[in-house]
Amino acid sequence: MLILAYDHGLEHGPADFRDVPESADPAHVFDAATHPAVTSLAVQKGLAEAYYPSYEDEVNLMAKLNGTSNLWMGEYDSAVNWSVDYAVDVGAEAIGFTLYNGSNHEVEMAEEFRQAQERAREHDIPVVMWAYPRGQGVKNDTKPEVIAYGARQALELGADVVKVKNPGSKTAMEHTVDMAGRTKVIMSGGSKRSDREFLQSVKTAIDAGTVGLAVGRNVFQREQPERILDALEQLIFEEASVEDALAATER
Amino acid sequence: MLILAYDHGLEHGPADFRDVPESADPAHVFDAATHPAVTSLAVQKGLAEAYYPSYEDEVNLMAKLNGTSNLWMGEYDSAVNWSVDYAVDVGAEAIGFTLYNGSNHEVEMAEEFRQAQERAREHDIPVVMWAYPRGQGVKNDTKPEVIAYGARQALELGADVVKVKNPGSKTAMEHTVDMAGRTKVIMSGGSKRSDREFLQSVKTAIDAGTVGLAVGRNVFQREQPERILDALEQLIFEEASVEDALAATER
Amino acid sequence: MLILAYDHGLEHGPADFRDVPESADPAHVFDAATHPAVTSLAVQKGLAEAYYPSYEDEVNLMAKLNGTSNLWMGEYDSAVNWSVDYAVDVGAEAIGFTLYNGSNHEVEMAEEFRQAQERAREHDIPVVMWAYPRGQGVKNDTKPEVIAYGARQALELGADVVKVKNPGSKTAMEHTVDMAGRTKVIMSGGSKRSDREFLQSVKTAIDAGTVGLAVGRNVFQREQPERILDALEQLIFEEASVEDALAATER
Amino acid sequence: MLILAYDHGLEHGPADFRDVPESADPAHVFDAATHPAVTSLAVQKGLAEAYYPSYEDEVNLMAKLNGTSNLWMGEYDSAVNWSVDYAVDVGAEAIGFTLYNGSNHEVEMAEEFRQAQERAREHDIPVVMWAYPRGQGVKNDTKPEVIAYGARQALELGADVVKVKNPGSKTAMEHTVDMAGRTKVIMSGGSKRSDREFLQSVKTAIDAGTVGLAVGRNVFQREQPERILDALEQLIFEEASVEDALAATER
Amino acid sequence: MLILAYDHGLEHGPADFRDVPESADPAHVFDAATHPAVTSLAVQKGLAEAYYPSYEDEVNLMAKLNGTSNLWMGEYDSAVNWSVDYAVDVGAEAIGFTLYNGSNHEVEMAEEFRQAQERAREHDIPVVMWAYPRGQGVKNDTKPEVIAYGARQALELGADVVKVKNPGSKTAMEHTVDMAGRTKVIMSGGSKRSDREFLQSVKTAIDAGTVGLAVGRNVFQREQPERILDALEQLIFEEASVEDALAATER
C-alpha cells in the first residue's frame, strides 16, 4: 500500500514547497499520483474539489478529514474540515484521520474519530488513522513504546490502517505491527532524506511487517517524483532489494 | 457472572502484554473467552469489529463504550468510542461504561452515561458501569466508603451491574453490595497476583454477595488462561472452596 | 404537598444511611412513600427503574432529573441523569430539577432547566425546582434575601413549585412566598432534628404560606418513618397544631 | 413605542420590589400593562405562563428570551430561558434578547441571538435587542460611542428594535439613532428618578429620534404607575411637552 | 472581481464613519454598490434584511456570515451571525467567512467554515474566505509568508476565493497567488489612502495575478465613492494603467 499524502500546504504551509516550487501546484502532485505505485492520494477537501474531477479515472481519492495550520500554538488539535458524507459525494474511497494520542484534546478527537469512522462504515469505505502521539502527555514521541501504543489505539478504536512514525529499528516496527493486530500498519515517510536512506527505511518497515508507506515530502520534494515512485513500487509491491530499487531510480 | 475484560491495549498500552506476549493478540483472548465460565467479553469497538465475527457463536460480546489511553495527562476522562446503535449492529449484547466519580469530568461523563443507558434500554440490553472514583475530588480511591459510594451512584444512575475495586475486606464488600441495592456488584480483578491470593479475593467477594468478577490481567497475563478460568468457574458458579478451585488449576 | 425526597444516595452517599441502615434499601423508603401523607416520591432514574414497578399503584413518582455525587469538587453543578421523555416512560408524573443560583454553572443549568421544563409542558406534568443558591456568587446561602431570590427565579423561569431552604423565620418565609408569586413554595426538610424542632419548623412554614414540605432525612433517618409522616399529615393537610401532631407520633 | 419591561425579579431580585411591595406581584404589573400607552409587556417565561392567560385580551406579550440572576459573578452572560417556538405557543407577539457587547461571551450570545432571530423571522414576529455593552472589553458602558456601537451592532445583526442606555445628551442619542439605521431605537428607563427628571430624559430621547422607551422601575417603583404612564403616553404618542406631560401626572 | 465590503459597522463600529458621516447610512453604500464595477456587496444579515430588498435588481448580495465587534477583547474569534439557508432566503448569491488562522479559535472557526462551505455547496453558491492570520500563534500578520499561508489554507479548506491582506510587494503577492492554486485571490483594500497610493497597490495586485479587490473604507470613506469605483473599473476590468485610472477619477 502506498498512500501519497499531500496535506502539507495546510499542516506546514508554503515552506514545504520552497525547494521544489512546482510542488506547490496540486496538479503537479495529482499527476504524480497517477503513477501505478500509488494506492491513493490523501488530500484536504479544497484540493479534492478543485483538482480531483480532472483525475477521477486515474487517481484513487482519500479524504484527509482533519487538519490544522501550524500557525496554531495551542495544545495539539485538528479541525474536522469535511463531513464524511460530503467526502463521499466528492468521490473519496477512503478517509484519513489524525489522532494526537496523549494530547489534552485526545478525548475530543477520539469522539470525532468515532463519528467519522461509524459514518465511513455506513458508506463501506476504509479508515486510516494517522496515530501521532503528541502533546502534554507525551514527552518523547519517537520512543518505540509510544509509537506502538499509538498503533494499538488505532486497532482498539477501529481503524483499518494506521500510519505511524518510524520507531527507529526493525525490531521496534515489528513490535508496533504486533500491537496493531489486524489493523494494517504503514510507515510515515517523514522529512526528506537521500534516496538510499529513505528506501532503506522503507525496506526495513516492509520487512518488519508493515503493508507499505504514506509518503509526501520524500516524493514531491524530489525533482522527479516518478523515479522515487518507481523505486517504491519495487520495494513495496515486488519485494525488491534496496539496491534493485535504487537502480530503478536511475533508469 | 464472569466478565473477561480486554481493553488494556487502549487503557494501559502494550506494557500490559509484555510478560505474556501472545496476550497482545486479540485472537488469543477471544479464544480464552470461549471458556464456558466466561459470561461475556468486554472489548473496544476495533477489537469487536475485527475479531468478534469469527467468534460470534461462542462468545457473548460486551461493548466497552468509553476509554482513553494513559498517555492522557488531563483530569480523568474517557472518550465515548462507539455509539450504542453501532455496538448493537456489531453484535453487542451488553454495554460497559466507565464513570470516574469525583473527577472534574464527572458531570459530563454522567450525561454521556445517561444517553448510552437510555439507548441501551431501547435495545433492551443490560448496562454495566465501571464505577471508578478518581480525580480531583478523590483523595483515596481504595477507601471502602468511596468504593461503596461508587456502587451506590451506579444504582442511582441506572446501571444493571456495577464493577468496583476490591474494598479490602469481606465486611467492606458487603457494605458495597448493600449500597448497590438491586444493582448487581462484580469485583474488578485488578493487577496480577498469585493464584491463591487472587482466588481468595474472589471467594471473599462472592461470599460478600457480589455476583462475580470482571477480570483481565489475572487471566490473560497467565500462561494458561484456561486453568485460572477453570478455577473461577468453580468459585463463582459452583460454590467451591478456594482449595478446590486451586486444585482445578492443577488438573 | 409532601414530597418525600430520596436522592441522598447520589448526593451525599452512604453516609446518610449510617444511623438507620435499612434506609439504604430503596424498598424501605418506597414502603414509607405509600403513606397517605406522601404526595410524591422524588428519586433518581436508577431507583425508579428498579423499584417503582412494584409500587406503581401506591406511589406517585417524581423524576429527580439532575444530581451529582459530593465527590465532585468543582464549582456547583449537576448532571442531567435522565431525559424527560424516558422519565415519563418509566411512569413519572412530575419532574424535579436543581438550580444552583449564583454558581458559575447557573447559565448552563438554567438552559438545561429550560429544555426539561418545556418538554414537561408537552407531557403536561408539573415541574418542581430545587432552588439552591450556591457557588462563587453566593457568600451566604442561608440569608433570607438570597433564599427569596431563588424562589423568585423559580417563578421567572417557569417552575410550578419551588423547594427552598428554611430562611429562619416566619417573616422571612412569608417574604419568600410573596416573591414566588403563583409558584408554590415548599420547604426543604434539611438535616435531621428532634421531632418537636422539626415539626415546629414545618408548622412555621405552613403558617407562612408554603404549601408543604420536601423531606428526606427527617423521615428515613428515623426508626419509624410512618410516625413522623402521621405527624406531617396532621400539620400539612389537617391544620393541626404542633402539639397535636406530636401526639400523633406517639400513637 | 412603550415597552413595559418586568424581568427585574430575575435580573435584580427582590431588592427592586422593596420600596413598592405590591410591585413584586406580577398581577400588579400586568394590570399596569393594560394601560393604553403600553405597546407590550416584556417578561420571562414563568410570568408569561402564570399571568398572561388572564390578560391576553388586554396585554401584548413580549417574550424576554434570556436573562440571569445577579447572583452570577462570572463574566457577563445570560441564559436563554425559553425557546422561540414555545414563546409563540404561550402567546408572544415579539421577542426580546440581551446582548452584552464586548463581554467574553459576546460571540456565544450573538450566535444564540442568530438562532432566536431567525426562528422569530419564521414566526414573523419582531425582535428587540437589549444592546448592553458590558464585560472585559468595556471600560465605560455609558460612553456615547460605546452606546452607539451597541445600536449599530443591533442593526448589523438583524434586530428590528434596539434598546439602549441613555447616552447622556440629545446629540449623543441622535448619533446613536443615526448609527442604528432602519433599526428603531428605544431608550432604557434605567433606575428610578423624579417625575420631571425622568420625563425630561424621555422627551430628549424622543426629540433625538428614538421611537420610545422600554421602562420598568420608573413605572412599577411608583405608587401610581398609571399616572406616569399617562404622562409617557403624552410624550411618546402625542408629542406633548414635558410640562404638559407632568400636568397629566397630576390629573 | 470587485467586492464592496461593508461590515465595518459591526467590526469597527461608528468610528469608521466619522469622516464621511453619510457612510453610516447603509442606503448610501447600497447606492454605491449599484455601480457597474461592483461584483457584489458583502454585508451582515441585518443590513441585508433591511436594505437589500430595495436593491435586489441592482445589487448582487454576498452574505458575510460571521463577524464580531471590536469591543471583544478575547482571543480572535467571530460569531456566525446567520445561517446559510437563511442567507439564501434573503437573496445571497455568495457567502463570505472570516478565518483567523493561528488564533486559539482556529480549530473551532475552521469547523464552522466547514459547515457553511458544505451548505453553500448544496445551494451552489460560491464561498469567499477572509483569511486573516491573527492571534496567539501569529507574531507578524503582515509577513508575506504568513499571508501566503492564509491563502493556501483557503485553498485546502475549499474556498473559491480568498481575500488576503496586501503582502507588500508584487513578488510577495505572486507567491500568495501561487500558493492559492485554483482558489482565486483578491486583495483587501485596507485603511484609506490617497487615490494614487491606493490605485497603485491595486494595480500591483492585479499584475501579480489576483482577480481583484475587496474594498470598503477606500470607497465609502471618500466623498464621491463613484469616482474611485470608476477608476477601479478601469484597473480591474479594462487593464488600464494607474495614470489612466486616476484620470477616470477626475472626469
Side-chain angles (χ1 to χ4, degrees):
Chain A
M1 185 183 302
L2 178 57
I3 297 172
L4 186 55
Y6 183 60
D7 57 350
H8 304 70
L10 175 60
E11 297 282 349
H12 303 166
D16 270 19
F17 308 134
R18 195 169 297 138
D19 292 342
V20 182
E22 63 266 39
S23 68
D25 180 5
H28 180 75
V29 181
F30 271 81
D31 282 344
T34 62
H35 190 287
V38 177
T39 312
S40 68
L41 174 66
V43 291
Q44 290 282 335
K45 177 166 67 177
L47 298 195
E49 287 182 326
Y51 298 86
Y52 175 68
S54 311
Y55 294 86
E56 61 187 12
D57 295 334
E58 295 163 282
V59 169
N60 181 302
L61 179 67
M62 178 182 296
K64 180 75 204 318
L65 281 200
N66 59 353
T68 294
S69 81
N70 69 16
L71 296 171
W72 169 267
M73 287 293 131
E75 170 72 353
Y76 285 101
D77 197 4
S78 196
V80 179
N81 291 320
W82 48 359
S83 65
V84 172
D85 287 0
Y86 184 64
V88 168
D89 281 355
V90 172
E93 298 177 54
I95 63 167
F97 199 101
T98 296
L99 182 71
Y100 292 129
N101 323 66
S103 160
N104 283 346
H105 294 293
E106 176 188 322
V107 167
E108 176 192 347
M109 294 181 82
E111 296 188 344
E112 291 169 343
F113 177 79
R114 172 192 78 228
Q115 291 169 15
Q117 191 261 13
E118 295 190 3
R119 197 74 199 148
R121 290 289 180 256
E122 291 195 28
H123 288 291
D124 204 20
I125 57 174
V127 177
V128 181
M129 181 187 283
W130 274 230
Y132 282 9
R134 273 183 192 169
Q136 195 191 332
V138 182
K139 288 181 198 122
N140 185 349
D141 67 356
T142 61
K143 207 171 140 189
E145 199 69 351
V146 168
I147 289 170
Y149 198 159
R152 181 71 184 199
Q153 193 162 353
L155 166 65
E156 300 266 343
L157 300 188
D160 299 292
V161 178
V162 60
K163 179 189 177 201
V164 299
K165 297 274 171 82
N166 185 346
S169 72
K170 188 181 166 206
T171 307
M173 187 59 102
E174 283 168 344
H175 180 55
T176 293
V177 169
D178 275 356
M179 292 304 119
R182 289 192 195 161
T183 294
K184 292 173 183 129
V185 178
I186 55 178
M187 190 176 73
S188 173
S191 56
K192 196 190 154 194
R193 282 163 298 159
S194 74
D195 287 1
R196 179 174 295 274
E197 273 185 309
F198 172 58
L199 293 175
Q200 185 55 59
S201 76
V202 174
K203 177 65 179 167
T204 303
I206 296 291
D207 290 348
T210 68
V211 300
L213 192 69
V215 63
R217 286 166 286 175
N218 271 295
V219 167
F220 69 71
Q221 288 181 355
R222 278 175 160 79
E223 295 293 340
Q224 294 174 288
E226 66 283 4
R227 291 181 59 183
I228 197 77
L229 287 169
D230 286 345
L232 288 169
E233 189 172 20
Q234 298 281 322
L235 277 186
I236 298 173
F237 300 103
E238 297 171 26
E239 305 185 16
S241 66
V242 171
E243 293 309 319
D244 288 348
L246 271 169
T249 70
E250 281 148 26
R251 268 201 297 265
Chain B
M1 185 182 302
L2 178 58
I3 297 172
L4 185 55
Y6 183 59
D7 58 350
H8 304 70
L10 175 61
E11 297 282 349
H12 303 166
D16 270 20
F17 308 135
R18 195 168 297 140
D19 292 342
V20 181
E22 63 266 38
S23 68
D25 180 4
H28 180 76
V29 180
F30 271 81
D31 282 343
T34 63
H35 189 287
V38 176
T39 311
S40 68
L41 174 66
V43 291
Q44 290 283 336
K45 177 167 66 179
L47 298 195
E49 288 183 326
Y51 298 86
Y52 175 68
S54 311
Y55 294 85
E56 62 187 10
D57 295 333
E58 295 163 283
V59 169
N60 181 303
L61 179 67
M62 178 182 296
K64 180 75 204 320
L65 281 200
N66 58 354
T68 294
S69 82
N70 70 14
L71 296 170
W72 168 268
M73 287 293 131
E75 171 72 352
Y76 285 101
D77 197 2
S78 196
V80 179
N81 291 319
W82 48 359
S83 66
V84 172
D85 287 1
Y86 184 64
V88 168
D89 281 355
V90 172
E93 298 177 55
I95 63 167
F97 200 101
T98 296
L99 182 70
Y100 291 130
N101 324 65
S103 160
N104 282 346
H105 294 292
E106 176 188 323
V107 166
E108 176 191 347
M109 293 181 83
E111 297 188 344
E112 291 169 343
F113 176 79
R114 171 193 80 228
Q115 290 169 16
Q117 192 260 13
E118 295 190 3
R119 196 74 199 148
R121 291 288 180 256
E122 291 195 29
H123 288 291
D124 205 20
I125 58 173
V127 177
V128 180
M129 182 186 282
W130 273 230
Y132 282 10
R134 272 184 192 168
Q136 195 190 334
V138 182
K139 288 183 199 119
N140 185 348
D141 67 357
T142 59
K143 207 172 139 188
E145 199 68 351
V146 168
I147 289 170
Y149 198 159
R152 182 70 184 199
Q153 192 162 352
L155 166 65
E156 300 266 342
L157 300 188
D160 300 293
V161 178
V162 61
K163 178 189 177 200
V164 298
K165 296 274 171 82
N166 184 347
S169 72
K170 188 182 167 206
T171 307
M173 187 59 102
E174 283 168 345
H175 180 55
T176 293
V177 169
D178 275 356
M179 291 305 118
R182 289 192 197 162
T183 295
K184 291 172 183 130
V185 178
I186 56 178
M187 190 174 74
S188 173
S191 56
K192 195 190 155 194
R193 281 164 297 159
S194 73
D195 287 0
R196 179 175 296 274
E197 272 184 310
F198 172 58
L199 293 175
Q200 185 57 57
S201 76
V202 174
K203 177 66 178 168
T204 303
I206 297 290
D207 290 348
T210 68
V211 301
L213 192 70
V215 63
R217 287 166 286 175
N218 271 294
V219 168
F220 69 71
Q221 288 182 353
R222 278 176 160 80
E223 294 293 340
Q224 294 174 288
E226 66 283 4
R227 291 179 60 182
I228 197 77
L229 288 169
D230 286 345
L232 289 169
E233 189 170 22
Q234 299 279 323
L235 276 187
I236 298 173
F237 300 103
E238 297 171 27
E239 305 185 17
S241 66
V242 171
E243 293 310 318
D244 289 349
L246 271 169
T249 70
E250 282 148 24
R251 267 202 297 268
Chain C
M1 185 183 300
L2 179 57
I3 297 171
L4 186 56
Y6 183 61
D7 57 351
H8 304 70
L10 175 60
E11 297 282 349
H12 302 166
D16 271 21
F17 308 135
R18 196 168 297 140
D19 292 343
V20 181
E22 63 266 38
S23 68
D25 179 4
H28 180 77
V29 180
F30 270 81
D31 282 343
T34 63
H35 190 286
V38 176
T39 311
S40 67
L41 174 66
V43 290
Q44 289 283 335
K45 177 167 66 178
L47 298 196
E49 288 183 325
Y51 299 85
Y52 175 67
S54 312
Y55 293 86
E56 63 186 10
D57 296 333
E58 296 164 282
V59 168
N60 181 304
L61 179 67
M62 178 181 296
K64 180 74 203 321
L65 282 200
N66 58 355
T68 293
S69 82
N70 69 15
L71 295 171
W72 169 267
M73 286 294 130
E75 171 72 352
Y76 285 102
D77 196 1
S78 196
V80 179
N81 291 319
W82 48 359
S83 67
V84 172
D85 287 1
Y86 185 63
V88 168
D89 281 355
V90 172
E93 297 177 54
I95 62 168
F97 199 101
T98 296
L99 182 70
Y100 291 128
N101 324 67
S103 160
N104 283 346
H105 294 292
E106 177 189 322
V107 166
E108 176 192 347
M109 293 181 82
E111 296 188 344
E112 290 169 343
F113 176 78
R114 171 192 80 227
Q115 290 169 16
Q117 192 260 12
E118 295 189 4
R119 198 73 200 150
R121 290 290 180 254
E122 291 195 29
H123 287 291
D124 205 21
I125 58 173
V127 177
V128 181
M129 182 187 282
W130 274 230
Y132 282 9
R134 273 183 192 169
Q136 194 191 332
V138 182
K139 289 184 199 116
N140 185 347
D141 67 356
T142 61
K143 209 171 139 189
E145 200 68 352
V146 167
I147 290 170
Y149 198 160
R152 181 69 183 199
Q153 193 162 351
L155 166 65
E156 301 266 343
L157 300 188
D160 299 292
V161 178
V162 61
K163 178 189 176 199
V164 299
K165 296 274 170 82
N166 184 347
S169 71
K170 188 181 167 206
T171 306
M173 187 58 102
E174 283 169 345
H175 180 55
T176 293
V177 168
D178 275 356
M179 291 305 118
R182 289 192 195 162
T183 294
K184 292 174 183 127
V185 178
I186 57 178
M187 190 175 74
S188 173
S191 55
K192 196 192 155 194
R193 281 164 298 161
S194 74
D195 287 0
R196 179 175 295 275
E197 273 184 310
F198 172 59
L199 293 175
Q200 185 55 59
S201 75
V202 175
K203 177 67 179 165
T204 303
I206 297 291
D207 290 348
T210 67
V211 302
L213 193 69
V215 64
R217 287 166 285 174
N218 272 293
V219 167
F220 71 70
Q221 288 181 353
R222 278 176 159 80
E223 296 291 340
Q224 294 172 290
E226 67 283 4
R227 290 181 60 182
I228 198 77
L229 288 169
D230 287 344
L232 289 169
E233 188 171 21
Q234 299 279 323
L235 277 186
I236 297 172
F237 300 102
E238 296 172 27
E239 304 184 17
S241 66
V242 171
E243 294 309 319
D244 288 349
L246 272 170
T249 69
E250 282 148 23
R251 266 202 299 267
Chain D
M1 184 183 302
L2 179 57
I3 297 171
L4 186 55
Y6 183 61
D7 57 350
H8 303 70
L10 176 60
E11 297 281 350
H12 302 166
D16 272 20
F17 308 135
R18 195 169 297 139
D19 292 342
V20 181
E22 63 265 39
S23 68
D25 180 5
H28 180 74
V29 181
F30 270 82
D31 282 343
T34 62
H35 190 288
V38 176
T39 311
S40 68
L41 174 66
V43 290
Q44 289 283 335
K45 177 166 65 178
L47 298 195
E49 287 183 325
Y51 298 86
Y52 175 67
S54 311
Y55 294 86
E56 63 185 8
D57 296 334
E58 296 163 283
V59 169
N60 180 304
L61 179 67
M62 177 182 295
K64 181 73 203 320
L65 281 201
N66 58 355
T68 293
S69 82
N70 69 14
L71 296 171
W72 169 268
M73 286 295 131
E75 171 72 353
Y76 285 101
D77 196 2
S78 196
V80 179
N81 292 318
W82 48 359
S83 66
V84 172
D85 287 0
Y86 184 64
V88 168
D89 282 354
V90 172
E93 297 177 54
I95 63 167
F97 200 101
T98 296
L99 182 70
Y100 292 128
N101 323 67
S103 160
N104 283 345
H105 294 293
E106 177 189 321
V107 166
E108 176 191 347
M109 294 181 82
E111 296 188 344
E112 291 169 342
F113 177 78
R114 171 192 80 227
Q115 290 169 15
Q117 192 261 11
E118 294 190 4
R119 197 75 200 148
R121 290 290 180 254
E122 290 194 31
H123 287 290
D124 205 20
I125 58 173
V127 176
V128 181
M129 182 187 282
W130 274 229
Y132 282 10
R134 273 184 192 169
Q136 194 191 333
V138 182
K139 289 183 197 118
N140 185 346
D141 68 355
T142 60
K143 208 171 140 189
E145 200 67 353
V146 168
I147 290 170
Y149 198 160
R152 181 70 183 199
Q153 192 163 352
L155 166 64
E156 301 266 343
L157 300 188
D160 300 292
V161 178
V162 61
K163 178 190 176 199
V164 299
K165 296 274 170 83
N166 184 347
S169 72
K170 188 182 166 206
T171 306
M173 188 58 103
E174 283 168 344
H175 181 55
T176 293
V177 169
D178 275 356
M179 291 305 117
R182 288 193 196 161
T183 295
K184 291 173 184 131
V185 179
I186 57 178
M187 190 175 73
S188 172
S191 56
K192 196 190 155 195
R193 282 164 298 160
S194 74
D195 287 0
R196 178 174 298 274
E197 272 185 309
F198 172 58
L199 293 175
Q200 185 55 58
S201 75
V202 174
K203 177 66 178 165
T204 303
I206 296 291
D207 291 348
T210 68
V211 301
L213 193 70
V215 64
R217 286 165 287 174
N218 272 294
V219 167
F220 71 70
Q221 287 182 354
R222 279 175 159 80
E223 295 292 340
Q224 294 173 289
E226 67 283 3
R227 291 181 59 182
I228 197 76
L229 287 169
D230 286 346
L232 288 170
E233 187 171 23
Q234 298 279 322
L235 276 187
I236 297 172
F237 300 102
E238 296 173 26
E239 305 184 17
S241 66
V242 172
E243 293 309 319
D244 288 349
L246 271 170
T249 69
E250 281 148 24
R251 266 203 296 268
Chain E
M1 184 184 301
L2 179 56
I3 297 171
L4 186 54
Y6 182 60
D7 57 350
H8 303 71
L10 175 60
E11 297 282 350
H12 303 166
D16 270 20
F17 309 135
R18 196 169 296 138
D19 292 343
V20 181
E22 63 267 38
S23 69
D25 180 5
H28 181 75
V29 180
F30 271 82
D31 282 343
T34 63
H35 190 287
V38 176
T39 311
S40 69
L41 174 65
V43 291
Q44 289 282 334
K45 177 167 66 178
L47 298 196
E49 287 183 325
Y51 299 87
Y52 175 67
S54 311
Y55 294 86
E56 62 186 9
D57 296 333
E58 295 164 282
V59 169
N60 181 304
L61 179 67
M62 178 182 296
K64 180 74 203 320
L65 281 201
N66 59 354
T68 293
S69 82
N70 69 16
L71 296 171
W72 169 267
M73 287 294 132
E75 170 71 353
Y76 285 101
D77 196 3
S78 196
V80 179
N81 292 318
W82 48 359
S83 66
V84 172
D85 287 0
Y86 184 64
V88 168
D89 281 354
V90 171
E93 298 177 54
I95 63 166
F97 199 101
T98 296
L99 181 70
Y100 292 129
N101 323 66
S103 160
N104 283 346
H105 294 293
E106 176 189 321
V107 167
E108 176 192 346
M109 294 181 82
E111 295 189 344
E112 291 169 343
F113 177 78
R114 172 193 78 226
Q115 291 169 15
Q117 192 261 12
E118 294 189 4
R119 196 75 199 148
R121 290 289 180 255
E122 291 196 29
H123 287 291
D124 205 20
I125 58 174
V127 176
V128 181
M129 182 187 282
W130 274 229
Y132 282 9
R134 273 182 193 171
Q136 195 192 331
V138 182
K139 288 182 198 119
N140 185 348
D141 68 356
T142 61
K143 207 172 140 190
E145 200 68 352
V146 168
I147 290 170
Y149 198 160
R152 182 70 184 199
Q153 193 162 352
L155 166 65
E156 300 266 344
L157 300 188
D160 299 292
V161 179
V162 60
K163 179 190 177 199
V164 299
K165 297 275 170 82
N166 185 346
S169 72
K170 188 180 166 206
T171 306
M173 188 59 102
E174 283 169 344
H175 180 56
T176 293
V177 168
D178 275 356
M179 291 304 118
R182 289 192 195 160
T183 294
K184 291 173 184 132
V185 178
I186 57 178
M187 191 176 72
S188 172
S191 56
K192 197 191 155 194
R193 282 165 297 160
S194 74
D195 287 1
R196 179 174 296 274
E197 273 184 310
F198 172 58
L199 292 175
Q200 185 55 59
S201 75
V202 174
K203 178 65 178 166
T204 303
I206 296 292
D207 290 347
T210 68
V211 301
L213 193 70
V215 64
R217 286 165 287 174
N218 271 294
V219 167
F220 70 71
Q221 288 181 355
R222 280 176 159 79
E223 295 293 339
Q224 294 173 287
E226 67 283 3
R227 290 181 59 182
I228 198 75
L229 287 169
D230 285 345
L232 288 170
E233 189 171 22
Q234 298 280 320
L235 276 187
I236 297 173
F237 300 103
E238 297 172 27
E239 305 185 16
S241 67
V242 171
E243 292 311 317
D244 288 349
L246 272 169
T249 69
E250 280 147 26
R251 267 201 297 264

